[in-house]
Amino acid sequence: MQVRRLAGALGAELTGLDLSRPQSSAEINALREALTAHLVVCIPGQALSLDALERLTDELGGRSVTPFVKPLPDRPYVIRVIKEREDALNFANAWHSDLSYLPAPPSYTLLQAHEVPDFGGDTLFQNQYLAFETLSAGLRQALLGLKAVHSAGPAYGTGGILDRVKDKMSMAIEPSKDAYREHAHPAVIRHPDSGRAALYLNPVYTQRFEGWSQPESQALLQHIFHHATNENLTCRVRWSAGMLTVWDNRATQHNALNDYPGQRREMFRTSVAGATPVAA
């Protein structure tokens, strides 16, 4: 396996891999080590069947379901991420960590590119370790004692944003009143592999600090979100057909850009089961 860094903050391109076949324990450990070091890895030229994608997901820790998005027929753990040429909106066009509203959010996400536009459609990633470490000492100390309330309701709830714009996109969204459930996680978590402290707040799913009102929370949250997505803390993945990208949701956020009007983009996504976040 050869590793080429994408940016100073995070990200790497891996070559010399064949993920279409079952991976040995040593190969999976090497992939995990690359993820621990770089947080997001893109692996070009992988002709993966959906069976192979699911098998790799199992090798990395086991599959988990993505709520509120209709999966592929007979594949409850695979969702199709699609933007058709006539669509005005794409999926995941805002900074977020996948499924942070669950009691045990996924550890990794795998996204396999099937069809990509001639231009645009890149995904931005951000480093939540650096986002925390570059805050002031006083704010870091304050956040270590806080929990934040996460919910999918504003995005996926009945009458929520995605329900209101469903005529502008081809994603198989399934809005539900269940999306309004709330779960509290530490504002700063300890990564189980690296041991480092990572900010665990994101603009899509973090609603407020536990014990604070929403107006009280928003002023501080907006300051943190602006800080965390500073360009110096990010990298950019430029997709190619066949590329697989894997990222660590416990230490990153991502944002899928919607800058390819009139073009088609199709991908397939799985999630690796995770554990309840632990406070740093």
Side-chain angles (χ1 to χ4, degrees):
M1 183 175 71
Q2 293 81 48
V3 179
R4 181 183 67 84
R5 293 181 65 174
L6 296 180
L10 75 166
E13 180 185 81
L14 309 183
T15 54
L17 303 178
D18 178 9
L19 301 177
S20 65
R21 57 168 177 77
Q23 302 295 290
S24 67
S25 296
E27 289 168 328
I28 288 297
N29 286 340
L31 182 55
R32 282 180 169 276
E33 288 172 3
L35 281 161
T36 301
H38 302 288
L39 303 182
V40 52
V41 298
C42 53
I43 311 163
Q46 299 297 310
L48 297 186
S49 66
L50 293 179
D51 285 342
L53 179 63
E54 291 194 276
R55 182 182 64 237
L56 180 61
T57 306
D58 287 339
E59 291 168 338
L60 283 169
R63 287 167 274 182
S64 65
V65 170
T66 297
F68 316 123
V69 180
K70 186 177 181 179
L72 294 181
D74 302 320
R75 292 187 186 270
Y77 301 102
V78 181
I79 66 168
R80 180 174 177 249
V81 179
I82 180 70
K83 184 188 179 189
E84 299 289 3
R85 291 180 177 84
E86 64 274 14
D87 291 348
L89 301 178
N90 69 331
F91 186 60
N93 180 215
W95 285 106
H96 65 287
S97 298
D98 283 341
L99 316 188
S100 70
Y101 53 84
L102 293 178
S107 53
Y108 304 117
T109 297
L110 291 79
L111 189 59
Q112 169 81 15
H114 180 71
E115 182 177 347
V116 298
D118 292 335
F119 58 83
D122 297 350
T123 303
L124 305 179
F125 290 88
Q126 168 265 2
N127 185 326
Q128 290 278 66
Y129 294 143
L130 295 181
F132 177 67
E133 292 166 1
T134 53
L135 291 170
S136 68
L139 183 49
R140 291 199 307 271
Q141 190 61 41
L143 289 173
L144 287 170
L146 294 177
K147 285 189 171 183
V149 176
H150 297 245
S151 174
Y156 290 100
T158 305
I161 293 172
L162 293 175
D163 195 9
R164 298 197 302 270
V165 301
K166 58 190 175 186
D167 60 327
K168 300 181 185 298
M169 61 192 309
S170 295
M171 284 294 300
I173 304 298
E174 297 183 313
S176 170
K177 59 181 176 50
D178 293 338
Y180 289 99
R181 293 174 180 164
E182 296 182 338
H183 292 284
H185 296 306
V188 184
I189 65 172
R190 181 74 61 192
H191 194 285
D193 298 329
S194 70
R196 293 176 67 181
L199 197 65
Y200 199 65
L201 306 167
N202 70 85
V204 172
Y205 301 127
T206 304
Q207 306 304 312
R208 65 188 184 279
F209 291 109
E210 189 175 58
W212 296 30
S213 71
Q214 195 142 15
E216 289 170 337
S217 301
Q218 283 306 305
L220 179 54
L221 286 173
Q222 291 305 316
H223 168 75
I224 293 170
F225 296 153
H226 178 73
H227 168 85
T229 55
N230 179 284
E231 292 86 349
N232 293 316
L233 307 182
T234 69
C235 76
R236 188 181 191 111
V237 169
R238 182 153 295 164
W239 294 90
S240 58
M243 177 183 284
L244 174 72
T245 296
V246 187
W247 61 88
D248 191 328
N249 289 293
R250 299 161 296 186
T252 65
Q253 293 185 66
H254 60 281
N255 182 351
L257 298 182
N258 185 25
D259 59 349
Y260 50 106
Q263 300 191 79
R264 191 175 189 273
R265 184 178 185 266
E266 183 180 28
M267 302 187 170
F268 296 94
R269 196 184 91 175
T270 59
S271 298
V272 177
T276 302
V278 174

